[in-house]
Amino acid sequence: FLAINNREKAIILWFILLVVVVCFNTKIRNSIRHLITAFFQKKLVQIYFAMAMYIASITFFFHTIGLWEVENLPTTLKWSFLVAFVMLFKFDKASSPDYFRSSLRDNIKILVIIEFIVNFYVFNIWVELLSFPFMVMLSLMLAISETDNQYEPAKKLFNGILITIGISLIIYAGLKISSNPNAFFTFKNFENFYHPIFYSLAFIPFVYLVALYSNYETLFIRLSFFVEEKSVLRYAKYKSFFAIKFSIKNLNSWSRYINSNWRFKSKQEVDDAILVFTESIKRQKNAT
């Protein structure tokens, strides 16, 4: 149940080394402390708690319908820390019109299969210990090379190296599978493959709601700057929510519209603005 492979052991050992370095370096320790403080801001902690409750609800549902058992807990925890947090911090992409379609595509595309097959086969501990920092540095250098067009040659080089390594690992995994297919094609491995996909798909609505909440919060803060009357401000917030509801696209359009056209001195102005805006949305839908 708690067995870990050599790759996971290597990651844990490097993490322990990082902790030791941090403990003995004041500058790094202060930077890490500031980073941790920022990561655990009160509002973020509330979102993390909501995320944990949502994942627990997903897990309970999967367990109820027979798709999750206690032995799947390690896979669930790995998905939570390595995938769910990444999806959460990319919530700004939820405003894209094709967010659900692109998220679905990203979670079932062939790269998921490749990643699963490659990660199933690991090397001895010394190879994993040496390859992990190399891959981290390579990924960081690739990320830096993507920040400016002048680094385009370096970007092509790093991409080429990663592609070569990826193809080599796929070939290695393919040879391993062909030599012992029974070790790979097991129900346990099948579970490890589909669980992260199901969790990711079920997690998409939560990310969307976080994005929706964030955009409403931005709108309400903006309203508070130019709506002086408290009763009008409360009315504007209330009417905005019930006019826009759950459409991030319309919410962003509404925010831009009132920012350039209205200052809401009265409740009637709020009603007039919403009427004009909703009519324009209807005309746009009819035109398409």
Side-chain angles (χ1 to χ4, degrees), residues 176-192:
K176 284 287 189 178
I177 293 172
S178 62
S179 63
N180 188 8
N182 292 332
F184 180 78
F185 294 104
T186 64
F187 184 73
K188 178 65 177 177
N189 288 339
F190 180 62
E191 281 187 328
N192 290 337

Side-chain angles (χ1 to χ4, degrees), residues 52-272:
M53 293 299 99
Y54 187 86
I55 294 174
S57 300
I58 295 173
T59 303
F60 178 76
F61 173 73
F62 285 165
H63 178 67
T64 302
I65 63 176
L67 289 178
W68 192 93
E69 298 297 338
V70 176
E71 55 263 27
N72 301 127
L73 182 59
T75 302
T76 303
L77 291 175
K78 277 193 271 187
W79 172 86
S80 299
F81 288 102
L82 300 178
V83 179
F85 270 103
V86 174
M87 293 178 66
L88 178 64
F89 285 109
K90 290 183 177 181
F91 71 86
D92 56 304
K93 293 185 177 181
S95 58
S96 172
D98 64 340
Y99 171 68
F100 285 95
R101 184 170 64 252
S102 62
S103 295
L104 177 64
R105 183 179 63 247
D106 289 343
N107 282 283
I108 63 175
K109 61 186 179 181
I110 193 65
L111 289 178
V112 174
I113 302 174
I114 293 174
E115 181 180 358
F116 168 74
I117 294 174
V118 169
N119 285 338
F120 181 75
Y121 294 103
V122 298
F123 302 97
N124 66 61
I125 187 65
W126 294 110
V127 174
E128 294 294 343
L129 280 171
L130 293 174
S131 62
F132 178 72
F134 173 75
M135 293 302 297
V136 170
M137 288 299 299
L138 188 61
S139 299
L140 289 174
M141 293 175 73
L142 176 61
I144 294 172
S145 68
E146 291 176 342
T147 61
D148 198 310
N149 290 332
Q150 66 175 326
Y151 302 135
E152 187 64 26
K155 176 183 175 182
K156 291 181 179 179
L157 173 63
F158 298 142
N159 269 322
I161 294 173
L162 285 174
I163 291 172
T164 302
I165 293 173
I167 292 174
S168 301
L169 289 173
I170 293 170
I171 294 174
Y172 172 77
L175 293 174
K176 284 287 189 178
I177 293 172
S178 62
S179 63
N180 188 8
N182 292 332
F184 180 78
F185 294 104
T186 64
F187 184 73
K188 178 65 177 177
N189 288 339
F190 180 62
E191 281 187 328
N192 290 337
F193 168 69
Y194 72 71
H195 271 152
I197 297 176
F198 285 178
Y199 268 95
S200 294
L201 296 180
F203 194 64
I204 290 173
F206 178 81
V207 178
Y208 185 86
L209 289 175
V210 171
L212 183 71
Y213 172 82
S214 176
N215 280 272
Y216 265 114
E217 184 179 45
T218 301
L219 169 67
F220 293 162
I221 291 174
R222 183 177 296 173
L223 281 172
S224 66
F225 281 120
F226 59 78
V227 181
E228 298 178 359
E229 181 63 39
K230 296 297 182 182
S231 61
V232 176
L233 176 61
R234 288 193 298 270
Y235 187 77
K237 292 178 179 180
Y238 168 82
K239 295 291 288 187
S240 293
F241 178 77
F242 281 97
I244 305 300
K245 297 183 177 67
F246 300 105
S247 172
I248 295 179
K249 178 183 177 182
N250 289 347
L251 177 59
N252 290 334
S253 298
W254 169 246
S255 181
R256 290 191 297 268
Y257 172 69
I258 61 176
N259 186 56
S260 57
N261 295 284
W262 299 87
R263 286 299 177 267
F264 296 150
K265 301 297 183 182
S266 66
K267 294 180 180 180
Q268 185 60 50
E269 284 190 358
V270 176
D271 292 334
D272 292 341

